[in-house]
Structure formats: structure tokens, C-alpha cells
Amino acid sequence: MRRSGSTRPTGRTRRTRRRVTAVAVCAAALAAWRAVPAQAHGPDPQAPPHWSLKDTGAPDVRFRGLAAVSRDTAWLAGTRGTVLRTTDGGGSWRNVSPPGAAELQFRDIEAFDARRAVVLAIGEGEASRVYRTDDGGATWTESFRNTDARAFFDCLTFFDARHGLAMSDPVDGRFRILSTRDGGRSWTVLPDTGMPPALEGEAGFAASGQCLVSAGPKDVWLATGGAARARVLHSADRGRTWTVTGTSVPGGDPARGVFALAFRDRVHGLAVGGDFRPDRTSPDAAARTSDGGRTWRPAGTSPPAYRSGVAWLPHSRTAALAVGPTGTSLTTDAGRTWRTVDTGSYDTVDCASGHGCWAAGERGRAARLEH
């Protein structure tokens, strides 16, 4: 027990100071990160963090699904029914695609470790499917196939290794939610009585696997666009009842809205999006919340263009990355301001709880954040 009034640091205090110092150093390095080509670099301990491209050997695939497990292990999911996995930091990639899936569009993947993962295929009717593997992709089990022609599934998320949700665009005027309690081995459609009505034209964007995200054991958020307002829905009971809030991200067009969300805890979240058409501008394409999504405030300085993916950096309360076809934006003040730090094209970004951050996108692009 430490004496009352003692100013001598305990071991815990010293460890805490070292951690705070390490985070401060990382944040300082991030703040100094300049726009550099998204290509592989030789190791340089003095270099600021940057994306280092990893050759996936799949230049004809666009990867919008990404699950970062660690600095060594990551999963990718994309077009042509493709799933890749690395366990050596991107030095090599193994094609572990489910058999017979070449016609499917995988847009989201959630991985629990190097062996267990759940992947979502998107599309109308039976094109929307869920597969699960327990052996690193050597074998897959199809655990859900949509049979409702009105449904179109976009994203999935997991609270833990057993409990998860998947979401579809509105059916009969309300977003449809699937629930699993066995790690994605089986799925049940939840009642829609606790779901607010959707707006005319409202839907989710299957752009990065981040239109449905969770934090903690029960909280989940759903991002929307395509309607008069871009909104975020929140559930505190694993998807049974929902509240809805408008955001500052522009709507009013089928191509505009919130494309991705990231929450570092139950209250602090980021939203990014804009207009995905390359010939359109995307003002006010980022927003932030500090009350669990009850209110959203626009960024003082938004990314200069549409962003489809966003992720908080590990062990930081203020730093996050947002990616899109025109580059990567960085915030070091919890979403108040953003600036472009890389011009490479990426669709999605994800960070593991350790120090592994990955990005992926068109033409087989995959990269790891290097320090």
C-alpha cells in the first residue's frame, strides 16, 4: 500500500508513465507523417509511420473486407469470392477462398484469430451469404443463405467470439438484423419491432465492412446513406431495440452518406463518408461523437474527399486513420481535424488490439502500417 500523500511513483505508476510516454511518442511521429508513396520501404527506425505495400498476388481482386488480428496475421475478403490470409506480416498470402464462391462478392470479414473467421458475401437474394472457418480457411461451412429477394446484406460485426450481428438494407421499411450466438455457425432474424422506420431510399453502404460496428458486450451502431439525411442507428441490447440520430455528413443523394464508423469505446466514435463518385466533392465528410452517437459534430477540418473506411490507432485516445480511393487521412485530435498523409488508394482499414494496422483496396492492394 502506498502511503497517503506519498509522491514516490509506484511500479504501476512508472509503467503507466512509460505507456503514456510511448503513446505520446507515437502520436508525435504520426503528427509528423507526411504524404509518401504507398510502397514498401526498407526498415528505418527513424522513419515516421507509413503504409508498406504487401504483394498479395491478386491484382484482379478488390478487397473491401479486412480483419486485422495482429501485426503478423490478417485476413482479406474481396471480389471473385476471394479470401486471403497472412500469418507472416504480409510476406506471403495464402488463398483460402471457399470452394464454389467465385461468383460472390465478399465485402466483410471478421476474424477471431489465425484459424477462425466469418465472411459475408453481399447482394440481392441468395447472393447474400455467410461462411465460417475454424481451420484457417482449409474448409468452410455456409451458415446462412438469404432467401428473401427483398434483402441485401451489407456488413457484419461481432461483440465477442460467440455473439454477432449482420445487417441488411430495409425490408418492409426497416433495416433487417441477423443475430448469432454461436460464433456465426447459425443465424436468426431478429424482430423489427424495435427498429425505427427507414427513410425513403435509405440503405447501408457495403464499401468497407464498417457500416455495422460494435464496442463492448452489447453496443452496436449502423451507418446509413442514400436518403435525405445520413443517419446513425444505435442499439445497446445487441440489436433488439434501436435509436436513430442524424449526422452532419451530407445526404440527399443515393451516392452520399456515412460509409464507415469506428468506436474506441461505448461513447467515443468517428463517422466518415461523403459522395463516392470520383467527379463529386465531399464536404463535411467526417463527424465525431462523445456521447455514444446521441449527437454528432462535424469535423473542423474534414478529409478532402470521400473516405470509405476508418479505424482508431491502438493504444491511442486521439489518433485514427480514414482511407478512401484518393488517399489516407489522419487525425491526432479525436476527429476534430484531419489531414491527408498518403495518396494511395485503399477502401478499408483495420487495427488489431496490439500494434497491427492494415489497409486494403483495389487491384489487390494490401498494406501494413510500419513504424
Side-chain angles (χ1 to χ4, degrees):
M1 178 181 295
R2 185 171 57 177
R3 296 177 183 175
S4 176
S6 171
T7 59
R8 181 180 179 83
T10 64
R12 179 180 294 179
T13 302
R14 288 192 293 270
R15 287 193 297 272
T16 300
R17 288 179 179 173
R18 285 197 293 270
R19 178 175 291 182
V20 171
T21 300
V23 171
V25 170
C26 183
L30 285 166
W33 193 15
R34 298 291 185 262
V36 296
Q39 59 189 19
H41 295 262
D44 180 358
Q46 302 302 318
H50 58 274
W51 290 123
S52 175
L53 273 178
K54 309 297 180 181
D55 184 8
T56 64
D60 56 344
V61 177
R62 187 166 194 165
F63 293 112
R64 294 184 183 270
L66 166 65
V69 176
S70 67
R71 278 187 57 79
D72 294 325
T73 301
W75 298 70
L76 303 175
T79 55
R80 300 172 180 259
T82 305
V83 178
L84 303 184
R85 183 190 63 145
T86 183
T87 56
D88 60 5
S92 62
W93 295 86
R94 182 181 176 188
N95 189 326
V96 294
S97 305
E103 301 301 317
L104 299 179
Q105 299 262 351
F106 289 132
R107 294 292 181 94
D108 198 355
I109 187 166
E110 303 291 328
F112 309 113
D113 49 40
R115 297 185 61 79
R116 299 176 297 161
V118 178
V119 64
L120 171 72
I122 61 100
E124 296 178 349
E126 293 192 4
S128 285
R129 305 178 194 180
V130 178
Y131 295 83
R132 178 186 164 103
T133 182
D134 290 294
D135 54 15
T139 61
W140 293 86
T141 300
E142 181 184 308
S143 59
F144 172 77
R145 181 180 295 204
N146 174 48
T147 57
D148 190 334
R150 302 168 299 170
F152 185 115
F153 285 83
D154 300 292
C155 292
L156 56 83
T157 190
F158 276 85
F159 304 95
D160 52 45
R162 294 176 55 213
H163 300 92
L165 301 176
M167 59 80 67
S168 163
D169 290 339
V171 176
D172 293 330
R174 299 175 191 271
F175 285 94
R176 175 168 290 181
I177 303 296
L178 285 181
S179 174
T180 180
R181 295 187 293 177
D182 56 13
R185 295 178 178 86
S186 63
W187 297 84
T188 303
V189 177
L190 292 182
D192 66 2
T193 53
M195 175 67 70
L199 301 177
E200 181 68 27
E202 192 171 28
F205 289 110
S208 62
Q210 296 174 328
C211 58
L212 185 72
V213 301
S214 57
K218 294 184 177 182
D219 286 273
V220 58
W221 295 264
L222 189 161
T224 82
R229 300 182 68 193
R231 307 194 298 173
V232 173
L233 286 72
H234 170 239
S235 172
D237 56 9
R238 291 182 181 161
R240 296 194 174 273
T241 61
W242 297 79
T243 58
V244 62
T245 304
T247 73
S248 57
V249 177
D253 189 279
R256 295 178 191 156
V258 177
F259 282 71
L261 299 168
F263 277 78
R264 64 173 172 83
D265 52 38
R266 295 181 65 247
V267 296
H268 297 94
L270 302 170
V272 300
D275 190 320
F276 70 76
R277 294 169 292 194
D279 60 337
R280 303 297 178 90
T281 59
S282 292
D284 302 320
R288 58 192 173 92
T289 182
S290 57
D291 57 13
R294 288 191 295 272
T295 60
W296 291 87
R297 289 170 288 178
T301 303
S302 286
Y306 155 72
R307 294 290 182 258
S308 54
V310 61
W312 292 92
L313 271 68
H315 306 302
S316 174
R317 298 175 62 85
T318 58
L321 295 171
V323 301
T326 63
T328 299
S329 298
L330 167 72
T331 179
T332 55
D333 53 15
R336 292 173 178 81
T337 61
W338 296 82
R339 65 185 182 86
T340 300
V341 293
D342 185 275
T343 57
S345 174
Y346 298 102
D347 292 310
T348 186
V349 59
D350 191 30
C351 294
S353 58
H355 291 283
C357 289
W358 297 78
E362 62 182 348
R363 299 180 183 176
R365 289 171 62 88
R368 187 179 70 177
L369 192 66
E370 304 291 352
H371 291 266

